[in-house]
Amino acid sequence: MQLKCFLLFVMILGLSACAGKSDRLGLVENEATKTYAEAYAPARTALQEGKAEELINKIESKYYTEDGNKKSRDEIIEELVKNNSELSILERGLLILNAGDFERALLYFDAGEMKMEQCEAESGMYKLGATISKGGIATLFGSEEVNDYVLRGYEKVMLLNYKALCYMLLGDRKAYNVTRRAIEKQQEEWEKFKELLVEFEEKQAKQADNQKKIASEVNVDNRDEEIKKKAELVPNAYVNPFGDYMDALLLELDGIDDKSIRDNSIIAYKKVLENNKDCGTAKTAIKEVRRGVPKGKKLVHIILADGFSPERKESVQGYQIDKLKAVVNFATATPIPSNVAGAKVIYTGGNQTFSSLSKMESIILRDDQDRLPFRTAMVTLALLRSGTASAFLGDLGVNIAATLQRPDTRSWLTLPNKVIVARFYVPNKTKNVTIQTYDEKKRIMAQYAVDIAELGPTVVYAVSYENQLKAFANKQSWITNK
């Protein structure tokens, strides 16, 4: 009997080691043996060293035919949706956007949205407690990375925000519709998460008394005080004002020629402040938008993404409740430090300091905090699994159960640490503006001069990684100053 149980555990172990190919980025050798963060590491290094072009060439190389011709847009999208997870598609898309290729990035975000809708349709067939039906027996034993990665709510919202930004930078009015979808998706995901918590609590209330006892005695919060403080900077993970800012920006642009919609822009800027009171740029816009662009001036908006989002790192913790004991492996969102404390833009006639828009780091850390009840359930199951394994195989069974239990360390790693913004007017003859990033001691870390539109407003997307800074202006606009 013991031999049979041992063989069963070994078989499941084999399953848990075979993470789906769909999440692979193709940046390292033997990717199947790496954690997601390890497989992503070359991308982070390339961005920090200013070698984005080499990275993009590697990502795009598979989309050429044998005779050296690039596959069509539709062929690439079809291949992406068929063979890749949402996560790996979005990762590639944002890497390409951060290299300044708006049109190519849009291809990936189109594919990412298609894949997201496909996955959401499939996930609707499963309930919270259907552990075996969707994930298989390996999930029952805690091997979460065997399953396809399910995008977190904030990741779905950022997909649409970035897609809208691509349209904006390409001068395409489709940016409006996608921005509205992003705002609606954020509310929708917040409602879904609240429903999920209620459903979860109802299921926990129906547990056997021994499970309730275990759950009441385990402490699963292994975060340090700094992480806890950062998570508390936002009330929940669904307060990202990026979409509202895009909405306000787009309305402001159209309001240059149409005074009747300027009030709508002001309303959108006020919504930005509701989600982030620190956005001084929105406060200034509320005061200035109704008056329109001053004579002899043109409007410039800069959206700057800095650093990297937190990485989900594995950490091991031991538990013992009565006679049950287990070693549990967590995936804890851990910040990736950025030395960039802020930024300013210098232009003819003045300069301006950037203000906070999206506190992505805090949003992601808050998301993990709000999911701690699910972690408690995971530990409870781990203790019960270990207890069963120990009854058959003693300490060997506990060790095998611990080996099988693998948390999900995946997340959208190219997302920024923070998004900051600046909005200002420059004389019509101004040809470029200079962006500077600085550290806590106000020492300049990097600077970049970016050309702005000869006529009309300009939207600039800038990306910062320590001493690397790049900025890309919209190629065209549907609005020009009269």
Side-chain angles (χ1 to χ4, degrees), residues 286-316:
I286 290 169
K287 297 175 183 178
E288 295 181 347
V289 166
R290 189 173 285 112
R291 297 196 295 265
V293 178
K295 187 176 181 180
K297 298 287 185 74
K298 52 189 177 183
L299 176 67
V300 180
H301 274 269
I302 305 178
I303 299 171
L304 191 157
D306 172 65
F308 295 94
S309 67
E311 173 184 314
R312 290 200 171 89
K313 292 186 176 180
E314 296 185 52
S315 59
V316 178

Side-chain angles (χ1 to χ4, degrees), residues 102-160:
F102 315 144
E103 193 166 350
R104 199 65 180 169
L106 183 59
L107 179 155
Y108 283 85
F109 293 134
D110 281 344
E113 186 175 9
M114 289 174 63
K115 187 73 175 185
M116 178 179 72
E117 292 173 351
Q118 184 184 98
C119 292
E120 286 181 341
E122 292 175 357
S123 66
M125 298 184 292
Y126 304 103
K127 298 295 183 180
L128 177 65
T131 311
I132 300 179
S133 63
K134 186 172 190 293
I137 194 167
T139 302
L140 179 62
F141 280 80
S143 188
E144 299 173 15
E145 286 198 348
V146 172
N147 296 330
D148 288 336
Y149 177 74
V150 178
L151 289 180
R152 300 286 178 96
Y154 67 84
E155 292 171 325
K156 294 179 180 181
V157 172
M158 286 305 293
L159 156 60
L160 295 174

Side-chain angles (χ1 to χ4, degrees), residues 213-418:
K213 179 178 182 297
I214 294 170
S216 68
E217 295 184 21
V218 297
N219 177 20
V220 299
D221 192 354
N222 63 340
R223 301 172 301 155
D224 62 31
E225 290 304 312
E226 182 181 358
I227 290 178
K228 290 178 182 178
K229 288 179 182 178
K230 288 181 176 180
E232 291 296 332
L233 291 176
V234 292
N236 60 66
Y238 301 89
V239 291
N240 186 353
F242 198 121
D244 288 316
Y245 190 85
M246 283 293 296
D247 190 33
L249 184 161
L250 293 166
L251 288 166
E252 182 180 8
L253 296 189
D254 271 350
I256 291 173
D257 292 331
D258 185 352
K259 295 180 181 180
S260 67
I261 63 174
R262 291 177 186 174
D263 283 348
N264 292 334
S265 177
I266 291 171
I267 291 170
Y269 277 122
K270 287 181 178 179
K271 289 181 179 177
V272 171
L273 284 177
E274 288 176 11
N275 282 333
N276 185 354
K277 61 181 176 55
D278 298 325
C279 189
T281 299
K283 292 178 185 177
T284 302
I286 290 169
K287 297 175 183 178
E288 295 181 347
V289 166
R290 189 173 285 112
R291 297 196 295 265
V293 178
K295 187 176 181 180
K297 298 287 185 74
K298 52 189 177 183
L299 176 67
V300 180
H301 274 269
I302 305 178
I303 299 171
L304 191 157
D306 172 65
F308 295 94
S309 67
E311 173 184 314
R312 290 200 171 89
K313 292 186 176 180
E314 296 185 52
S315 59
V316 178
Q317 191 166 329
Y319 288 93
Q320 182 162 355
I321 306 294
D322 296 332
K323 294 182 179 180
L324 299 177
K325 60 181 180 179
V327 176
V328 183
N329 199 348
F330 294 135
T332 302
T334 307
I336 304 296
S338 170
N339 290 314
V340 175
K344 69 177 180 179
V345 55
I346 302 168
Y347 48 89
T348 304
N351 65 80
Q352 186 177 125
T353 300
F354 283 70
S355 65
S356 171
L357 178 62
S358 297
K359 300 175 181 179
M360 290 306 305
E361 181 183 66
S362 292
I363 288 171
I364 294 167
L365 295 177
R366 182 61 192 232
D367 184 69
D368 262 32
Q369 175 177 302
D370 292 344
R371 292 171 183 268
L372 285 175
F374 305 144
R375 179 183 283 188
T376 298
M378 181 186 77
V379 172
T380 302
L381 286 174
L383 284 160
L384 293 171
R385 283 196 301 266
S386 293
T388 302
S390 178
F392 284 102
L393 300 172
D395 287 343
L396 176 61
V398 175
N399 292 335
I400 292 174
T403 303
L404 292 173
Q405 191 271 322
R406 293 179 58 189
D408 199 339
T409 62
R410 296 167 293 183
S411 63
W412 190 355
L413 293 174
T414 313
L415 285 176
N417 174 290
K418 57 183 175 285

Side-chain angles (χ1 to χ4, degrees), residues 369-476:
Q369 175 177 302
D370 292 344
R371 292 171 183 268
L372 285 175
F374 305 144
R375 179 183 283 188
T376 298
M378 181 186 77
V379 172
T380 302
L381 286 174
L383 284 160
L384 293 171
R385 283 196 301 266
S386 293
T388 302
S390 178
F392 284 102
L393 300 172
D395 287 343
L396 176 61
V398 175
N399 292 335
I400 292 174
T403 303
L404 292 173
Q405 191 271 322
R406 293 179 58 189
D408 199 339
T409 62
R410 296 167 293 183
S411 63
W412 190 355
L413 293 174
T414 313
L415 285 176
N417 174 290
K418 57 183 175 285
V419 179
I420 55 180
V421 288
R423 172 195 168 278
F424 52 95
Y425 304 112
V426 296
N428 279 337
K429 293 182 179 180
T430 302
K431 294 183 178 180
N432 58 63
V433 299
T434 299
I435 304 168
Q436 293 181 340
T437 55
Y438 53 83
D439 62 17
E440 289 185 354
K441 295 183 178 180
K442 300 296 182 180
R443 294 174 300 197
I444 296 173
M445 294 187 66
Q447 68 177 27
Y448 192 92
V450 59
D451 292 338
I452 61 174
E454 184 177 349
L455 295 173
T458 302
V459 177
V460 175
Y461 176 58
V463 188
S464 164
Y465 301 105
E466 298 298 333
N467 64 347
Q468 297 293 331
L469 176 64
K470 293 286 181 68
F472 316 98
N474 55 279
K475 295 181 178 179
Q476 59 188 34

